[in-house]
Amino acid sequence: MSARIIDGKAFAARVRAQVAEHVARLREEQGITPGLAVVLVGE
């Protein structure tokens, strides 16, 4: 098995573009705008 270098910035840009595409489709087809919530548990 050989090592593989991953370009993190390029990968993140691809993921963001995919998420934006899915959000736009969801908003257009169903009128839903997704959000993000964070729940902190503990100290």
Side-chain angles (χ1 to χ4, degrees):
M1 180 182 221
S2 62
R4 202 168 106 184
I5 297 175
I6 300 171
D7 183 355
K9 288 184 182 186
F11 181 78
R14 268 197 321 270
V15 170
R16 283 191 185 108
Q18 289 175 348
V19 170
E21 181 181 323
H22 289 286
V23 167
R25 190 175 330 128
L26 184 63
R27 188 180 299 143
E28 182 180 309
E29 292 175 359
Q30 299 184 13
I32 298 172
T33 302
L36 179 65
V38 177
V39 178
L40 299 176
V41 178
E43 292 185 29

